[in-house]
Amino acid sequence: MLWRYWIAREFKTRYAGSALGVAWAFVQPLATLAIFYVLFGLILAVRVPGIDADQGYLLHLLAGLAVWLPFVDAIGRGVGSLVAYEDFLRKQPIPAEILPAVAVGGTLLTMLIGYALLLILCVIQGVGPLASWGWIPVLVAAQLLMTLGMTLMLSMAHFLWRDVGSIVAFGLQLWFYLTPVIYPLAQVPERFHVWYLLNPVACLALAVQAAVLGIAIPAGTIPALCVWTVVFGVGGWWFFRSMKSALGEAL
């Protein structure tokens, strides 16, 4: 009940006072998609092997952004959530884990828009419907669990050690280019593919691109994704709970 209240509050306040209001939830992802598509799809003419469609790169790019944009939004908002509500937590004792969880829940609208647009464009381009689309809810659940664990861990770490926020901001920029969103993995020399298994978001993006577009996925990606989901989902929750006494002392 309390989490639902904070989620509703998040949706009401996120776009309050802006001229476009909730329309920003559509404008921002579409603007990002347009910029990368013009630069890499039209100017640099990047092509994706294995996709038999005129706009194969656009579909591949959108599948990657459907994973990346909600992830970076949740981490970006969640890492500072405890610090932002430090005075509130001191005066109103609520379960502190609600605040980073709200940052993750606030990305559900972005995820819904991204996947809906992706599947509609796939049908228009003649890619699907595919039986592998049935894996999308499982992959979305894996993303939410993994992102929640990371957000819990980073929000607590940032509250205790304030340098963490700056490190995360820089790390997300580097992380984006290490994830096959704006480029297909096929353009990376095959000897480097195994290194992508060490990148949890890359594993998730590759799994979504394979499920939605029906393209090949590097061996070991699904087992690696399962491991990362457990490591961050369970590990992030464990870290947050184990450091909660330190949070109480700091408050």
Side-chain angles (χ1 to χ4, degrees), residues 176-195:
F176 176 70
Y177 293 103
L178 294 176
T179 302
V181 174
I182 57 175
Y183 59 89
L185 190 62
Q187 293 198 340
V188 179
E190 192 170 349
R191 65 180 183 277
F192 295 119
H193 288 190
V194 67
W195 290 100

mmCIF file with all atom_site columns, all heavy atoms in Angstrom, residues 176-195:
data_model
loop_
_atom_site.group_PDB
_atom_site.id
_atom_site.type_symbol
_atom_site.label_atom_id
_atom_site.label_alt_id
_atom_site.label_comp_id
_atom_site.label_asym_id
_atom_site.label_entity_id
_atom_site.label_seq_id
_atom_site.pdbx_PDB_ins_code
_atom_site.Cartn_x
_atom_site.Cartn_y
_atom_site.Cartn_z
_atom_site.occupancy
_atom_site.B_iso_or_equiv
_atom_site.pdbx_formal_charge
_atom_site.auth_seq_id
_atom_site.auth_comp_id
_atom_site.auth_asym_id
_atom_site.auth_atom_id
_atom_site.pdbx_PDB_model_num
ATOM 1   N N   . PHE A 1 176 ? 27.192 2.486   -21.231 1.00 0.00 ? 176 PHE A N   1
ATOM 2   C CA  . PHE A 1 176 ? 26.343 2.542   -22.424 1.00 0.00 ? 176 PHE A CA  1
ATOM 3   C C   . PHE A 1 176 ? 27.109 2.071   -23.662 1.00 0.00 ? 176 PHE A C   1
ATOM 4   O O   . PHE A 1 176 ? 26.584 1.303   -24.478 1.00 0.00 ? 176 PHE A O   1
ATOM 5   C CB  . PHE A 1 176 ? 25.837 3.972   -22.624 1.00 0.00 ? 176 PHE A CB  1
ATOM 6   C CG  . PHE A 1 176 ? 25.029 4.153   -23.874 1.00 0.00 ? 176 PHE A CG  1
ATOM 7   C CD1 . PHE A 1 176 ? 23.767 3.591   -24.003 1.00 0.00 ? 176 PHE A CD1 1
ATOM 8   C CD2 . PHE A 1 176 ? 25.533 4.881   -24.944 1.00 0.00 ? 176 PHE A CD2 1
ATOM 9   C CE1 . PHE A 1 176 ? 23.027 3.739   -25.162 1.00 0.00 ? 176 PHE A CE1 1
ATOM 10  C CE2 . PHE A 1 176 ? 24.790 5.044   -26.107 1.00 0.00 ? 176 PHE A CE2 1
ATOM 11  C CZ  . PHE A 1 176 ? 23.537 4.474   -26.212 1.00 0.00 ? 176 PHE A CZ  1
ATOM 12  N N   . TYR A 1 177 ? 28.360 2.525   -23.802 1.00 0.00 ? 177 TYR A N   1
ATOM 13  C CA  . TYR A 1 177 ? 29.122 2.165   -24.997 1.00 0.00 ? 177 TYR A CA  1
ATOM 14  C C   . TYR A 1 177 ? 29.680 0.751   -24.920 1.00 0.00 ? 177 TYR A C   1
ATOM 15  O O   . TYR A 1 177 ? 30.135 0.214   -25.929 1.00 0.00 ? 177 TYR A O   1
ATOM 16  C CB  . TYR A 1 177 ? 30.248 3.180   -25.210 1.00 0.00 ? 177 TYR A CB  1
ATOM 17  C CG  . TYR A 1 177 ? 29.698 4.542   -25.559 1.00 0.00 ? 177 TYR A CG  1
ATOM 18  C CD1 . TYR A 1 177 ? 29.648 5.561   -24.606 1.00 0.00 ? 177 TYR A CD1 1
ATOM 19  C CD2 . TYR A 1 177 ? 29.184 4.790   -26.827 1.00 0.00 ? 177 TYR A CD2 1
ATOM 20  C CE1 . TYR A 1 177 ? 29.109 6.798   -24.911 1.00 0.00 ? 177 TYR A CE1 1
ATOM 21  C CE2 . TYR A 1 177 ? 28.648 6.030   -27.151 1.00 0.00 ? 177 TYR A CE2 1
ATOM 22  C CZ  . TYR A 1 177 ? 28.610 7.025   -26.191 1.00 0.00 ? 177 TYR A CZ  1
ATOM 23  O OH  . TYR A 1 177 ? 28.071 8.247   -26.510 1.00 0.00 ? 177 TYR A OH  1
ATOM 24  N N   . LEU A 1 178 ? 29.654 0.155   -23.738 1.00 0.00 ? 178 LEU A N   1
ATOM 25  C CA  . LEU A 1 178 ? 30.070 -1.237  -23.594 1.00 0.00 ? 178 LEU A CA  1
ATOM 26  C C   . LEU A 1 178 ? 28.890 -2.198  -23.747 1.00 0.00 ? 178 LEU A C   1
ATOM 27  O O   . LEU A 1 178 ? 29.047 -3.408  -23.568 1.00 0.00 ? 178 LEU A O   1
ATOM 28  C CB  . LEU A 1 178 ? 30.732 -1.458  -22.223 1.00 0.00 ? 178 LEU A CB  1
ATOM 29  C CG  . LEU A 1 178 ? 32.053 -0.719  -22.001 1.00 0.00 ? 178 LEU A CG  1
ATOM 30  C CD1 . LEU A 1 178 ? 32.554 -0.940  -20.583 1.00 0.00 ? 178 LEU A CD1 1
ATOM 31  C CD2 . LEU A 1 178 ? 33.100 -1.157  -23.015 1.00 0.00 ? 178 LEU A CD2 1
ATOM 32  N N   . THR A 1 179 ? 27.717 -1.653  -24.040 1.00 0.00 ? 179 THR A N   1
ATOM 33  C CA  . THR A 1 179 ? 26.496 -2.449  -24.212 1.00 0.00 ? 179 THR A CA  1
ATOM 34  C C   . THR A 1 179 ? 26.040 -2.336  -25.666 1.00 0.00 ? 179 THR A C   1
ATOM 35  O O   . THR A 1 179 ? 25.993 -1.228  -26.207 1.00 0.00 ? 179 THR A O   1
ATOM 36  C CB  . THR A 1 179 ? 25.391 -1.926  -23.262 1.00 0.00 ? 179 THR A CB  1
ATOM 37  O OG1 . THR A 1 179 ? 25.867 -1.988  -21.913 1.00 0.00 ? 179 THR A OG1 1
ATOM 38  C CG2 . THR A 1 179 ? 24.130 -2.763  -23.380 1.00 0.00 ? 179 THR A CG2 1
ATOM 39  N N   . PRO A 1 180 ? 25.719 -3.452  -26.335 1.00 0.00 ? 180 PRO A N   1
ATOM 40  C CA  . PRO A 1 180 ? 25.356 -3.405  -27.756 1.00 0.00 ? 180 PRO A CA  1
ATOM 41  C C   . PRO A 1 180 ? 23.953 -2.845  -27.994 1.00 0.00 ? 180 PRO A C   1
ATOM 42  O O   . PRO A 1 180 ? 23.011 -3.581  -28.294 1.00 0.00 ? 180 PRO A O   1
ATOM 43  C CB  . PRO A 1 180 ? 25.453 -4.871  -28.189 1.00 0.00 ? 180 PRO A CB  1
ATOM 44  C CG  . PRO A 1 180 ? 25.219 -5.653  -26.948 1.00 0.00 ? 180 PRO A CG  1
ATOM 45  C CD  . PRO A 1 180 ? 25.779 -4.836  -25.821 1.00 0.00 ? 180 PRO A CD  1
ATOM 46  N N   . VAL A 1 181 ? 23.850 -1.514  -27.831 1.00 0.00 ? 181 VAL A N   1
ATOM 47  C CA  . VAL A 1 181 ? 22.581 -0.827  -28.067 1.00 0.00 ? 181 VAL A CA  1
ATOM 48  C C   . VAL A 1 181 ? 22.619 -0.110  -29.411 1.00 0.00 ? 181 VAL A C   1
ATOM 49  O O   . VAL A 1 181 ? 21.766 -0.333  -30.269 1.00 0.00 ? 181 VAL A O   1
ATOM 50  C CB  . VAL A 1 181 ? 22.278 0.174   -26.936 1.00 0.00 ? 181 VAL A CB  1
ATOM 51  C CG1 . VAL A 1 181 ? 21.033 1.005   -27.265 1.00 0.00 ? 181 VAL A CG1 1
ATOM 52  C CG2 . VAL A 1 181 ? 22.096 -0.557  -25.614 1.00 0.00 ? 181 VAL A CG2 1
ATOM 53  N N   . ILE A 1 182 ? 23.636 0.740   -29.605 1.00 0.00 ? 182 ILE A N   1
ATOM 54  C CA  . ILE A 1 182 ? 23.716 1.523   -30.846 1.00 0.00 ? 182 ILE A CA  1
ATOM 55  C C   . ILE A 1 182 ? 24.507 0.789   -31.923 1.00 0.00 ? 182 ILE A C   1
ATOM 56  O O   . ILE A 1 182 ? 24.601 1.265   -33.046 1.00 0.00 ? 182 ILE A O   1
ATOM 57  C CB  . ILE A 1 182 ? 24.342 2.915   -30.594 1.00 0.00 ? 182 ILE A CB  1
ATOM 58  C CG1 . ILE A 1 182 ? 25.732 2.765   -29.957 1.00 0.00 ? 182 ILE A CG1 1
ATOM 59  C CG2 . ILE A 1 182 ? 23.426 3.752   -29.734 1.00 0.00 ? 182 ILE A CG2 1
ATOM 60  C CD1 . ILE A 1 182 ? 26.450 4.098   -29.786 1.00 0.00 ? 182 ILE A CD1 1
ATOM 61  N N   . TYR A 1 183 ? 25.101 -0.324  -31.579 1.00 0.00 ? 183 TYR A N   1
ATOM 62  C CA  . TYR A 1 183 ? 25.821 -1.134  -32.564 1.00 0.00 ? 183 TYR A CA  1
ATOM 63  C C   . TYR A 1 183 ? 25.461 -2.602  -32.335 1.00 0.00 ? 183 TYR A C   1
ATOM 64  O O   . TYR A 1 183 ? 25.227 -3.024  -31.206 1.00 0.00 ? 183 TYR A O   1
ATOM 65  C CB  . TYR A 1 183 ? 27.339 -0.948  -32.441 1.00 0.00 ? 183 TYR A CB  1
ATOM 66  C CG  . TYR A 1 183 ? 27.887 -1.316  -31.076 1.00 0.00 ? 183 TYR A CG  1
ATOM 67  C CD1 . TYR A 1 183 ? 28.296 -2.614  -30.784 1.00 0.00 ? 183 TYR A CD1 1
ATOM 68  C CD2 . TYR A 1 183 ? 27.984 -0.358  -30.064 1.00 0.00 ? 183 TYR A CD2 1
ATOM 69  C CE1 . TYR A 1 183 ? 28.799 -2.944  -29.544 1.00 0.00 ? 183 TYR A CE1 1
ATOM 70  C CE2 . TYR A 1 183 ? 28.485 -0.675  -28.812 1.00 0.00 ? 183 TYR A CE2 1
ATOM 71  C CZ  . TYR A 1 183 ? 28.890 -1.974  -28.560 1.00 0.00 ? 183 TYR A CZ  1
ATOM 72  O OH  . TYR A 1 183 ? 29.373 -2.304  -27.316 1.00 0.00 ? 183 TYR A OH  1
ATOM 73  N N   . PRO A 1 184 ? 25.397 -3.401  -33.411 1.00 0.00 ? 184 PRO A N   1
ATOM 74  C CA  . PRO A 1 184 ? 25.148 -4.844  -33.226 1.00 0.00 ? 184 PRO A CA  1
ATOM 75  C C   . PRO A 1 184 ? 26.428 -5.544  -32.785 1.00 0.00 ? 184 PRO A C   1
ATOM 76  O O   . PRO A 1 184 ? 27.535 -5.148  -33.179 1.00 0.00 ? 184 PRO A O   1
ATOM 77  C CB  . PRO A 1 184 ? 24.712 -5.292  -34.619 1.00 0.00 ? 184 PRO A CB  1
ATOM 78  C CG  . PRO A 1 184 ? 25.340 -4.315  -35.548 1.00 0.00 ? 184 PRO A CG  1
ATOM 79  C CD  . PRO A 1 184 ? 25.404 -3.001  -34.826 1.00 0.00 ? 184 PRO A CD  1
ATOM 80  N N   . LEU A 1 185 ? 26.277 -6.587  -32.003 1.00 0.00 ? 185 LEU A N   1
ATOM 81  C CA  . LEU A 1 185 ? 27.452 -7.322  -31.517 1.00 0.00 ? 185 LEU A CA  1
ATOM 82  C C   . LEU A 1 185 ? 28.225 -7.929  -32.674 1.00 0.00 ? 185 LEU A C   1
ATOM 83  O O   . LEU A 1 185 ? 29.431 -8.179  -32.556 1.00 0.00 ? 185 LEU A O   1
ATOM 84  C CB  . LEU A 1 185 ? 27.001 -8.419  -30.544 1.00 0.00 ? 185 LEU A CB  1
ATOM 85  C CG  . LEU A 1 185 ? 28.108 -9.128  -29.768 1.00 0.00 ? 185 LEU A CG  1
ATOM 86  C CD1 . LEU A 1 185 ? 28.864 -8.149  -28.879 1.00 0.00 ? 185 LEU A CD1 1
ATOM 87  C CD2 . LEU A 1 185 ? 27.542 -10.269 -28.932 1.00 0.00 ? 185 LEU A CD2 1
ATOM 88  N N   . ALA A 1 186 ? 27.542 -8.166  -33.812 1.00 0.00 ? 186 ALA A N   1
ATOM 89  C CA  . ALA A 1 186 ? 28.214 -8.762  -34.973 1.00 0.00 ? 186 ALA A CA  1
ATOM 90  C C   . ALA A 1 186 ? 29.350 -7.889  -35.480 1.00 0.00 ? 186 ALA A C   1
ATOM 91  O O   . ALA A 1 186 ? 30.255 -8.381  -36.170 1.00 0.00 ? 186 ALA A O   1
ATOM 92  C CB  . ALA A 1 186 ? 27.199 -9.003  -36.087 1.00 0.00 ? 186 ALA A CB  1
ATOM 93  N N   . GLN A 1 187 ? 29.326 -6.574  -35.168 1.00 0.00 ? 187 GLN A N   1
ATOM 94  C CA  . GLN A 1 187 ? 30.387 -5.688  -35.622 1.00 0.00 ? 187 GLN A CA  1
ATOM 95  C C   . GLN A 1 187 ? 31.591 -5.689  -34.686 1.00 0.00 ? 187 GLN A C   1
ATOM 96  O O   . GLN A 1 187 ? 32.578 -5.004  -34.959 1.00 0.00 ? 187 GLN A O   1
ATOM 97  C CB  . GLN A 1 187 ? 29.847 -4.269  -35.788 1.00 0.00 ? 187 GLN A CB  1
ATOM 98  C CG  . GLN A 1 187 ? 28.829 -4.147  -36.919 1.00 0.00 ? 187 GLN A CG  1
ATOM 99  C CD  . GLN A 1 187 ? 28.619 -2.724  -37.364 1.00 0.00 ? 187 GLN A CD  1
ATOM 100 O OE1 . GLN A 1 187 ? 28.920 -1.789  -36.640 1.00 0.00 ? 187 GLN A OE1 1
ATOM 101 N NE2 . GLN A 1 187 ? 28.098 -2.555  -38.568 1.00 0.00 ? 187 GLN A NE2 1
ATOM 102 N N   . VAL A 1 188 ? 31.482 -6.421  -33.593 1.00 0.00 ? 188 VAL A N   1
ATOM 103 C CA  . VAL A 1 188 ? 32.593 -6.561  -32.656 1.00 0.00 ? 188 VAL A CA  1
ATOM 104 C C   . VAL A 1 188 ? 33.319 -7.860  -32.983 1.00 0.00 ? 188 VAL A C   1
ATOM 105 O O   . VAL A 1 188 ? 32.665 -8.881  -33.207 1.00 0.00 ? 188 VAL A O   1
ATOM 106 C CB  . VAL A 1 188 ? 32.084 -6.590  -31.202 1.00 0.00 ? 188 VAL A CB  1
ATOM 107 C CG1 . VAL A 1 188 ? 33.244 -6.772  -30.221 1.00 0.00 ? 188 VAL A CG1 1
ATOM 108 C CG2 . VAL A 1 188 ? 31.305 -5.319  -30.888 1.00 0.00 ? 188 VAL A CG2 1
ATOM 109 N N   . PRO A 1 189 ? 34.649 -7.850  -33.054 1.00 0.00 ? 189 PRO A N   1
ATOM 110 C CA  . PRO A 1 189 ? 35.378 -9.102  -33.326 1.00 0.00 ? 189 PRO A CA  1
ATOM 111 C C   . PRO A 1 189 ? 34.940 -10.217 -32.381 1.00 0.00 ? 189 PRO A C   1
ATOM 112 O O   . PRO A 1 189 ? 34.771 -9.987  -31.175 1.00 0.00 ? 189 PRO A O   1
ATOM 113 C CB  . PRO A 1 189 ? 36.839 -8.701  -33.092 1.00 0.00 ? 189 PRO A CB  1
ATOM 114 C CG  . PRO A 1 189 ? 36.878 -7.239  -33.398 1.00 0.00 ? 189 PRO A CG  1
ATOM 115 C CD  . PRO A 1 189 ? 35.561 -6.696  -32.932 1.00 0.00 ? 189 PRO A CD  1
ATOM 116 N N   . GLU A 1 190 ? 34.736 -11.406 -32.933 1.00 0.00 ? 190 GLU A N   1
ATOM 117 C CA  . GLU A 1 190 ? 34.145 -12.508 -32.174 1.00 0.00 ? 190 GLU A CA  1
ATOM 118 C C   . GLU A 1 190 ? 34.954 -12.875 -30.938 1.00 0.00 ? 190 GLU A C   1
ATOM 119 O O   . GLU A 1 190 ? 34.395 -13.360 -29.947 1.00 0.00 ? 190 GLU A O   1
ATOM 120 C CB  . GLU A 1 190 ? 33.991 -13.732 -33.076 1.00 0.00 ? 190 GLU A CB  1
ATOM 121 C CG  . GLU A 1 190 ? 33.122 -14.824 -32.459 1.00 0.00 ? 190 GLU A CG  1
ATOM 122 C CD  . GLU A 1 190 ? 32.779 -15.904 -33.465 1.00 0.00 ? 190 GLU A CD  1
ATOM 123 O OE1 . GLU A 1 190 ? 33.042 -15.700 -34.676 1.00 0.00 ? 190 GLU A OE1 1
ATOM 124 O OE2 . GLU A 1 190 ? 32.247 -16.939 -33.053 1.00 0.00 ? 190 GLU A OE2 1
ATOM 125 N N   . ARG A 1 191 ? 36.270 -12.646 -30.968 1.00 0.00 ? 191 ARG A N   1
ATOM 126 C CA  . ARG A 1 191 ? 37.086 -13.016 -29.809 1.00 0.00 ? 191 ARG A CA  1
ATOM 127 C C   . ARG A 1 191 ? 36.754 -12.179 -28.573 1.00 0.00 ? 191 ARG A C   1
ATOM 128 O O   . ARG A 1 191 ? 37.116 -12.547 -27.452 1.00 0.00 ? 191 ARG A O   1
ATOM 129 C CB  . ARG A 1 191 ? 38.572 -12.877 -30.147 1.00 0.00 ? 191 ARG A CB  1
ATOM 130 C CG  . ARG A 1 191 ? 39.049 -11.451 -30.439 1.00 0.00 ? 191 ARG A CG  1
ATOM 131 C CD  . ARG A 1 191 ? 40.540 -11.440 -30.759 1.00 0.00 ? 191 ARG A CD  1
ATOM 132 N NE  . ARG A 1 191 ? 41.071 -10.106 -30.968 1.00 0.00 ? 191 ARG A NE  1
ATOM 133 C CZ  . ARG A 1 191 ? 41.003 -9.424  -32.100 1.00 0.00 ? 191 ARG A CZ  1
ATOM 134 N NH1 . ARG A 1 191 ? 40.411 -9.985  -33.161 1.00 0.00 ? 191 ARG A NH1 1
ATOM 135 N NH2 . ARG A 1 191 ? 41.505 -8.207  -32.211 1.00 0.00 ? 191 ARG A NH2 1
ATOM 136 N N   . PHE A 1 192 ? 36.071 -11.045 -28.782 1.00 0.00 ? 192 PHE A N   1
ATOM 137 C CA  . PHE A 1 192 ? 35.693 -10.196 -27.646 1.00 0.00 ? 192 PHE A CA  1
ATOM 138 C C   . PHE A 1 192 ? 34.277 -10.494 -27.122 1.00 0.00 ? 192 PHE A C   1
ATOM 139 O O   . PHE A 1 192 ? 33.876 -9.925  -26.111 1.00 0.00 ? 192 PHE A O   1
ATOM 140 C CB  . PHE A 1 192 ? 35.775 -8.710  -28.024 1.00 0.00 ? 192 PHE A CB  1
ATOM 141 C CG  . PHE A 1 192 ? 37.167 -8.241  -28.338 1.00 0.00 ? 192 PHE A CG  1
ATOM 142 C CD1 . PHE A 1 192 ? 37.469 -7.727  -29.595 1.00 0.00 ? 192 PHE A CD1 1
ATOM 143 C CD2 . PHE A 1 192 ? 38.178 -8.306  -27.393 1.00 0.00 ? 192 PHE A CD2 1
ATOM 144 C CE1 . PHE A 1 192 ? 38.749 -7.304  -29.904 1.00 0.00 ? 192 PHE A CE1 1
ATOM 145 C CE2 . PHE A 1 192 ? 39.470 -7.886  -27.686 1.00 0.00 ? 192 PHE A CE2 1
ATOM 146 C CZ  . PHE A 1 192 ? 39.751 -7.382  -28.953 1.00 0.00 ? 192 PHE A CZ  1
ATOM 147 N N   . HIS A 1 193 ? 33.517 -11.338 -27.823 1.00 0.00 ? 193 HIS A N   1
ATOM 148 C CA  . HIS A 1 193 ? 32.115 -11.567 -27.432 1.00 0.00 ? 193 HIS A CA  1
ATOM 149 C C   . HIS A 1 193 ? 31.989 -12.117 -26.022 1.00 0.00 ? 193 HIS A C   1
ATOM 150 O O   . HIS A 1 193 ? 31.037 -11.803 -25.308 1.00 0.00 ? 193 HIS A O   1
ATOM 151 C CB  . HIS A 1 193 ? 31.436 -12.519 -28.436 1.00 0.00 ? 193 HIS A CB  1
ATOM 152 C CG  . HIS A 1 193 ? 31.169 -11.867 -29.761 1.00 0.00 ? 193 HIS A CG  1
ATOM 153 N ND1 . HIS A 1 193 ? 30.401 -12.461 -30.740 1.00 0.00 ? 193 HIS A ND1 1
ATOM 154 C CD2 . HIS A 1 193 ? 31.578 -10.675 -30.272 1.00 0.00 ? 193 HIS A CD2 1
ATOM 155 C CE1 . HIS A 1 193 ? 30.350 -11.652 -31.792 1.00 0.00 ? 193 HIS A CE1 1
ATOM 156 N NE2 . HIS A 1 193 ? 31.073 -10.583 -31.541 1.00 0.00 ? 193 HIS A NE2 1
ATOM 157 N N   . VAL A 1 194 ? 32.939 -12.962 -25.626 1.00 0.00 ? 194 VAL A N   1
ATOM 158 C CA  . VAL A 1 194 ? 32.847 -13.573 -24.303 1.00 0.00 ? 194 VAL A CA  1
ATOM 159 C C   . VAL A 1 194 ? 32.911 -12.525 -23.193 1.00 0.00 ? 194 VAL A C   1
ATOM 160 O O   . VAL A 1 194 ? 32.343 -12.714 -22.106 1.00 0.00 ? 194 VAL A O   1
ATOM 161 C CB  . VAL A 1 194 ? 33.966 -14.628 -24.127 1.00 0.00 ? 194 VAL A CB  1
ATOM 162 C CG1 . VAL A 1 194 ? 35.335 -13.967 -24.102 1.00 0.00 ? 194 VAL A CG1 1
ATOM 163 C CG2 . VAL A 1 194 ? 33.736 -15.456 -22.874 1.00 0.00 ? 194 VAL A CG2 1
ATOM 164 N N   . TRP A 1 195 ? 33.572 -11.398 -23.456 1.00 0.00 ? 195 TRP A N   1
ATOM 165 C CA  . TRP A 1 195 ? 33.673 -10.340 -22.438 1.00 0.00 ? 195 TRP A CA  1
ATOM 166 C C   . TRP A 1 195 ? 32.319 -9.696  -22.154 1.00 0.00 ? 195 TRP A C   1
ATOM 167 O O   . TRP A 1 195 ? 32.103 -9.145  -21.071 1.00 0.00 ? 195 TRP A O   1
ATOM 168 C CB  . TRP A 1 195 ? 34.670 -9.270  -22.883 1.00 0.00 ? 195 TRP A CB  1
ATOM 169 C CG  . TRP A 1 195 ? 36.080 -9.757  -22.872 1.00 0.00 ? 195 TRP A CG  1
ATOM 170 C CD1 . TRP A 1 195 ? 36.819 -10.191 -23.931 1.00 0.00 ? 195 TRP A CD1 1
ATOM 171 C CD2 . TRP A 1 195 ? 36.934 -9.882  -21.718 1.00 0.00 ? 195 TRP A CD2 1
ATOM 172 N NE1 . TRP A 1 195 ? 38.065 -10.581 -23.521 1.00 0.00 ? 195 TRP A NE1 1
ATOM 173 C CE2 . TRP A 1 195 ? 38.175 -10.399 -22.175 1.00 0.00 ? 195 TRP A CE2 1
ATOM 174 C CE3 . TRP A 1 195 ? 36.783 -9.608  -20.360 1.00 0.00 ? 195 TRP A CE3 1
ATOM 175 C CZ2 . TRP A 1 195 ? 39.230 -10.655 -21.320 1.00 0.00 ? 195 TRP A CZ2 1
ATOM 176 C CZ3 . TRP A 1 195 ? 37.840 -9.851  -19.505 1.00 0.00 ? 195 TRP A CZ3 1
ATOM 177 C CH2 . TRP A 1 195 ? 39.047 -10.369 -19.970 1.00 0.00 ? 195 TRP A CH2 1
#
